């Protein structure tokens, strides 16, 4: 019996619990919101393909306003209580039942805080050990220290032969490019991480569930 076996059993347990709410069981206002977002997005894309950028921008602006409106409705006390009782609590109960049964199968007493803490520490170690990006951090820092002086030198050389207006335009373009690159990296990174390092979030889930056991169940027994 090893931690790796325990973790695989935990992942199997997670797969047996549906974390999403079926469309048919969504409240009416959420169904309307989903349909409107889908319709507005499709219309906006079609308008973009037809090169009607103004109309597409208007459609997406209306979409943002609609999403904001439905977010306000979703956060009302009545709807929060309804979602809590009908969806959030039942899902949480299934998660806790699963982890408690799993702990008992592996001879871990849920009142044994020390052993649960050891499981949390082992989960954190395995998560760090499996991090695909960790070996790349030092080479990327070295690469950055080499690239930035080169960029600064090139910019200085260009600046010596450029007018003030040209420098302003170049600086504006460079800022836009940098913002776009960083935005793209921030947007793509979670997707790549989910594809390459699929267990990362599962380790977080396990840590969270073990913490819930400590907080809400250990003192009951």
């Amino acid at each position: 019996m090893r931690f790796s076996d325990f973790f695989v059993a935990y992942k199997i347990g997670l797969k047996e619990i549906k974390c999403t709410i079926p469309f048919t069981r969504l409240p009416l206002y959420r169904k309307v919101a989903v349909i409107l977002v889908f319709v507005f997005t499709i219309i906006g894309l079609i308008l973009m393909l037809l090169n009607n950028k103004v109309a597409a921008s208007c459609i997406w602006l209306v979409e943002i306003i609609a999403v904001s409106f439905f977010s306000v409705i979703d956060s009302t006390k009545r709807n929060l209580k309804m979602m809590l009782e009908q969806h959030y609590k039942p899902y949480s109960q299934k998660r806790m039942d699963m982890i408690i049964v799993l702990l008992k199968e592996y001879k871990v007493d849920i009142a044994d805080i020390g052993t649960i803490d050891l499981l949390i520490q082992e989960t954190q170690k395995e998560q760090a050990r499996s991090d695909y990006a960790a070996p790349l951090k030092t080479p990327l820092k070295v690469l950055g220290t080499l690239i930035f002086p080169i960029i600064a030198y090139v910019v200085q050389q260009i600046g010596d032969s450029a007018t003030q207006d040209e420098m302003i335009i170049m600086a504006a373009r460079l800022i836009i490019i940098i913002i776009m690159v960083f935005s793209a990296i921030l947007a793509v990174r979670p997707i790549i991480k989910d594809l390459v390092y699929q267990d990362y979030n599962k380790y977080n889930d396990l840590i969270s569930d073990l913490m819930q056991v400590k907080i809400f169940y250990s003192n009951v027994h």
Side-chain angles (χ1 to χ4, degrees):
M1 188 177 298
R2 299 165 61 238
F3 174 80
S4 57
D5 305 326
F6 177 81
F7 183 60
V8 171
Y10 174 76
K11 290 196 294 183
I12 294 171
L14 282 182
K15 287 182 179 295
E16 293 175 350
I17 303 173
K18 291 184 178 180
C19 60
T20 56
I21 304 173
F23 181 80
T24 54
R25 294 188 60 197
L26 286 174
L28 179 59
Y29 69 91
R30 284 200 175 193
K31 291 179 181 177
V32 173
V34 170
I35 293 172
L36 286 179
V37 167
F38 177 77
V39 171
F40 283 149
T41 301
I42 295 299
I43 293 174
L45 290 174
I46 292 173
L47 290 172
M48 284 294 291
L49 292 174
L50 296 175
N51 206 27
N52 194 339
K53 296 180 181 179
V54 175
S57 299
C58 292
I59 287 292
W60 284 332
L61 178 60
V62 172
E63 181 178 354
I64 293 172
I65 294 172
V67 170
S68 302
F69 174 74
F70 283 111
S71 296
V72 172
I73 295 176
D74 195 44
S75 62
T76 60
K77 181 179 179 180
R78 176 177 173 274
N79 288 327
L80 285 174
K81 288 181 68 175
M82 183 268 293
M83 293 297 294
L84 177 66
E85 296 299 328
Q86 294 186 11
H87 301 290
Y88 301 151
K89 279 187 177 180
Y91 174 73
S92 294
Q93 190 62 53
K94 289 178 182 178
R95 281 278 290 264
M96 290 298 96
D97 289 345
M98 181 271 290
I99 188 68
I100 289 171
V101 168
L102 184 60
L103 288 170
K104 289 180 180 178
E105 287 179 1
Y106 280 77
K107 313 301 181 186
V108 177
D109 186 351
I110 62 174
D112 187 350
I113 299 294
T115 302
I116 294 177
D117 281 337
L118 287 175
L119 275 173
I120 292 173
Q121 293 172 17
E122 187 65 21
T123 305
Q124 293 169 334
K125 288 179 183 178
E126 288 298 320
Q127 186 182 47
R129 189 179 296 124
S130 304
D131 190 353
Y132 75 95
L136 301 176
K137 290 179 181 178
T138 301
L140 286 175
K141 288 181 179 178
V142 175
L143 184 62
T145 58
L146 294 174
I147 290 177
F148 282 114
I150 295 174
I151 294 175
Y153 175 77
V154 171
V155 170
Q156 183 181 0
Q157 294 299 313
I158 294 174
D160 292 339
S161 59
T163 65
Q164 185 175 0
D165 290 341
E166 290 173 338
M167 284 295 296
I168 293 173
I169 294 172
M170 288 170 55
R173 289 177 177 174
L174 184 60
I175 291 171
I176 292 172
I177 291 172
I178 291 172
I179 292 174
M180 291 177 65
V181 169
F182 273 99
S183 299
I185 291 172
L186 290 174
V188 173
R189 185 184 175 189
I191 299 173
I192 295 176
K193 198 162 192 175
D194 286 342
L195 292 174
V196 179
Y197 188 14
Q198 296 182 2
D199 284 343
Y200 185 84
N201 291 329
K202 297 295 189 302
Y203 283 121
N204 280 337
D205 289 338
L206 177 55
I207 293 170
S208 176
D209 285 347
L210 290 172
M211 288 297 297
Q212 308 314 308
V213 171
K214 283 180 58 178
I215 295 170
F216 295 107
Y217 293 88
S218 296
N219 294 327
V220 177
H221 291 75

